Amino acid sequence: MSEIITAAIIEDDPMVREINKRYLLKDGRIGAVRTYSSGQEALTTLAEHPVPLILLDVYMPRLNGLDFLKQLRIAGITSDIIMVTAANDFASMEKALQLGALDYLVKPFEYERLTQALDKFFYKLELQDKTAAPLSQKEADELFSKQDSYGPKEMVKGIQQRTLDVVKAYITEHAGTKYSGNELAKLIGLSRVTVHKYLNYLESKKMLISEIDYETEGRPRLLYYVKPGQK
């Protein structure tokens, strides 16, 4: 997917808001993040400039997440919603799903759990692209059976040894040099999404290090590198 995906975070706690923003940018598949401290603030902007994905807190003052989601749907905004909340009660989860939430994360959640939710979102986009043209019954069955089985393990299954070796060899050969995922994609000649997937895999296996670079003119970015002598 070549287009830049913009996500929004609606969260009244500034610290949690910043952590969630870092998580989204760390994943690599999200190109930009808008943040809002309240549902009221977000509704006006999103009505004019909608985004495909929203991380939404349930418990916020004045306008809670569930009421915000209702108003969002009434306004005809079809953004996918990942609910983020400390409320692990069944009623809130059920209501969120009834209103069309894509996934539901309970605080404090691990980064890996967020990537699972993002996997669902990006697979849904992929499915929409594929179903834009007429499908045979066989093709439809294959697509939906794949969606049902899709999850974090699919990412590991999708790792190809040859591509992994290329990414690892380049960053190891230039040990000590820090690269963003976009920079590596251009240098290696692979797509941005593919490179980020392999960088996330290598980081999960502790084969490289990542850090957030705040010294940029725009938004912070994630840098990847291997220490000299690291194997």
Side-chain angles (χ1 to χ4, degrees), residues 1 41 83 90 98 104-105 120 162 169 197 209 218 222 227:
M1 185 177 301
E41 177 191 2
M83 303 298 293
F90 178 78
Q98 288 173 350
Y104 196 106
L105 306 182
K120 290 184 182 180
R162 182 176 298 179
K197 179 173 72 172
I209 301 168
L222 204 62
K227 290 181 179 179

Side-chain angles (χ1 to χ4, degrees), residues 161-208:
Q161 188 62 49
R162 182 176 298 179
T163 306
L164 181 65
D165 290 342
V166 170
V167 175
K168 184 180 178 183
Y170 189 94
I171 203 166
T172 301
E173 182 180 349
H174 299 84
T177 304
K178 301 176 182 179
Y179 300 97
S180 70
N182 291 351
E183 289 170 342
L184 278 172
K186 293 177 181 178
L187 290 168
I188 298 173
L190 296 172
S191 75
R192 177 175 57 86
V193 173
T194 297
V195 168
H196 278 292
K197 179 173 72 172
Y198 281 84
L199 288 173
N200 287 337
Y201 176 81
L202 288 169
E203 184 184 15
S204 72
K205 298 298 182 182
K206 304 192 183 301
M207 296 180 185
L208 55 76

Side-chain angles (χ1 to χ4, degrees), residues 7-11 20 24 27 29-30 52-58 65-66 68-69 72-73 78-85 96-97 99-107 109 113-122:
I9 297 173
I10 306 173
E11 165 65 60
N20 290 345
L24 283 178
D27 179 80
R29 293 174 287 181
I30 301 295
L53 179 66
I54 299 173
L55 261 69
L56 175 63
D57 188 29
V58 170
L66 294 175
F68 169 86
L69 183 48
L72 199 71
R73 297 307 187 220
T78 59
S79 306
D80 278 311
I81 306 294
I82 299 175
M83 303 298 293
V84 181
T85 180
L97 293 174
L99 290 169
L102 181 70
D103 208 340
Y104 196 106
L105 306 182
V106 178
K107 299 177 185 176
F109 59 87
R113 180 61 183 85
L114 174 61
T115 63
Q116 292 179 29
L118 292 177
D119 288 346
K120 290 184 182 180
F121 167 71
F122 280 98

